Amino acid sequence: MGARSHSTLVRVRDFVVGGDVFVVMAGPCSVETEEQLLATAEHVRRAGARVLRGGAFKPRTSPYAFHGLGLEGLKLLAKAREETGLAVVTEVMSECDVPLVADYADILQIGSRSMENYSLLEAAARSGRPILLKRGMVATIADLLRSAQLILDNGNPDIILCERGIRTFETTMRNTFDAASITLLKQITHLPVIADPSHAAGQRDLVPGLARIGVAAGADGLIVEVHPDPNKAWSDGEQSLDFATFEAMMADLKPWIALGRKSPGSRCAANAPVLEAVG
Ligand code: PEP
Ligand code: MN
C-alpha cells in the first residue's frame, strides 16, 4: 500500500477537513442549556477548536436516559455559531429529521448506532451537507467503507470518517480504541479520518492520551466532549473534559500535530470510489 496521491478535502464554512490543518471539533455530548452551550462554545473556540459539537437528538443506550432537546437544541447550536463563528456538527438519527437538522448543521453526524441505517444514510447524503460518519461499535472497516460508499453513490463526496472505539472482549474501557484503523483508512481511502477519544475511552483521564495516539496514527482531526461541569452533564459526563483540561490537552497536542501534518496532495475527484486513489 503506497501513500495516497489524492485526498478528499471536505469544505466546511471557511476551512477544510482533510487538508494540512488539523481540525478539532469539541463541545458537550448533549445540548442542555443556552448557558452551558455558549460557555462551552466560547471556550473551545479560544482553545483552538473550529467546530462545535453537541447532540440535539441523542441515541442513548438506555431508553430512560435524556434524549436531547430536539429543535430547541438545534436553535441553540445556531445561536452559538452566530456568536462564535464555529461550525456546527450534530447528529441526525432519523431519515425524517434530515431536512430539519440540515437546516441548522454545517456537518451531519451519523452516529455509531446508525452507521448501517441505509435509508438514513441516503437521506443524509442527499441533503448535500458534509457527513461525519462514525464507525459502528461492532462494524468492521469494510462495513464502514460500505456505508461511506453509499453516501458517495448518493451524490455526496463530503464524507469524514470517525473512529470512536469498537466493542471487544476488553471491558476495562468503554470501547477499544482502534488506532490502527485510522492509519489503515488513511492508506486505503482518500477520505479524511478523525478520532473520537471520548467515546473510545469512556473515562476522561484517558482522553488526552488517546487523542495523542489519534494524532500519531495520522488522524486529520479530533472530536472531543467538553462540558463546563462534567460531573453534572446530562449525558457522557464521565468522559467529558472540563475547560481547563481541554485547554491543556490542546496545548500539549500542538507539537505532535506539527510533527504529523504533511501536504495532502492534490484534491481527489469528487466521485472517486472510497477505495480508489491508492498509489
Ligand atoms: C456522540 O457523539 O455523542 C455519540 C452518541 O457518539 P457515538 O455514536 O459514537 O456513540
Ligand atoms: Mn456522547
Side-chain angles (χ1 to χ4, degrees):
M1 254 171 245
R4 286 165 307 128
S5 55
H6 303 284
S7 299
T8 287
L9 306 179
V10 176
R11 174 157 293 281
V12 183
R13 294 173 73 83
D14 61 342
F15 60 93
V16 295
V17 183
D20 51 4
V21 176
F22 189 85
V23 174
V24 176
M25 311 183 184
C29 178
S30 302
V31 178
E32 299 170 4
T33 65
E34 178 166 341
E35 195 188 14
Q36 169 242 20
L37 190 68
L38 294 184
T40 309
E42 183 51 33
H43 190 88
V44 301
R45 185 193 62 77
R46 269 193 274 119
R50 306 297 296 265
V51 182
L52 175 65
R53 64 145 291 145
F57 294 93
K58 294 303 302 175
R60 303 299 304 284
T61 303
S62 162
Y64 305 109
F66 175 59
H67 279 75
L69 296 180
L71 177 59
E72 192 192 334
L74 296 176
K75 288 183 175 163
L76 291 176
L77 286 164
K79 181 162 191 191
R81 171 175 51 213
E82 225 166 86
E83 295 205 353
T84 60
L86 290 170
V88 163
V89 60
T90 194
E91 177 160 356
V92 59
M93 289 174 58
S94 143
E95 199 183 329
C96 57
D97 290 333
V98 167
L100 176 72
V101 180
D103 254 5
Y104 288 88
D106 298 293
I107 304 171
L108 295 181
Q109 175 172 324
I110 301 292
S112 196
R113 293 159 190 79
S114 302
M115 190 207 82
E116 288 179 295
N117 180 342
Y118 285 175
S119 51
L120 173 62
L121 293 175
E122 287 175 15
R126 291 203 207 100
S127 75
R129 290 283 186 211
I131 307 288
L132 174 63
L133 180 63
K134 297 189 90 175
R135 182 179 179 183
M137 57 188 85
V138 293
T140 64
I141 289 168
D143 296 333
L144 174 67
L145 292 177
R146 262 190 293 276
S147 293
Q149 187 65 54
L150 186 70
I151 296 168
L152 195 55
D153 291 347
N154 278 274
N156 192 336
D158 294 325
I159 305 162
I160 304 162
L161 303 174
C162 178
E163 162 57 33
R164 47 77 76 205
I166 51 173
R167 286 223 169 126
T168 67
F169 55 83
E170 178 57 67
T171 55
T172 52
M173 290 166 282
R174 182 175 181 182
N175 290 293
T176 296
F177 183 43
D178 185 7
S181 74
I182 297 170
T183 308
L184 179 68
L185 286 167
K186 290 299 297 174
Q187 288 183 359
I188 66 174
T189 88
H190 49 80
L191 299 174
V193 183
I194 68 168
D196 176 346
S198 308
H199 290 85
Q203 51 197 85
R204 69 179 73 105
D205 292 356
L206 285 174
V207 170
L210 296 197
R212 211 156 55 226
I213 293 168
V215 172
D220 296 292
L222 296 172
I223 182 163
V224 182
E225 289 186 336
V226 178
H227 192 281
D229 190 353
N231 291 328
K232 296 211 175 108
W234 298 1
S235 60
D236 284 350
E238 333 72 64
Q239 67 196 32
S240 298
L241 301 182
D242 62 21
F243 293 169
T245 313
F246 178 68
E247 201 176 321
M249 181 187 88
M250 292 291 278
D252 289 348
L253 284 175
K254 262 194 188 145
W256 297 85
I257 292 169
L259 262 180
R261 302 314 289 164
K262 39 182 191 297
S263 159
S266 54
R267 196 193 159 106
C268 190
N271 56 356
V274 297
L275 277 173
E276 202 226 48
V278 178

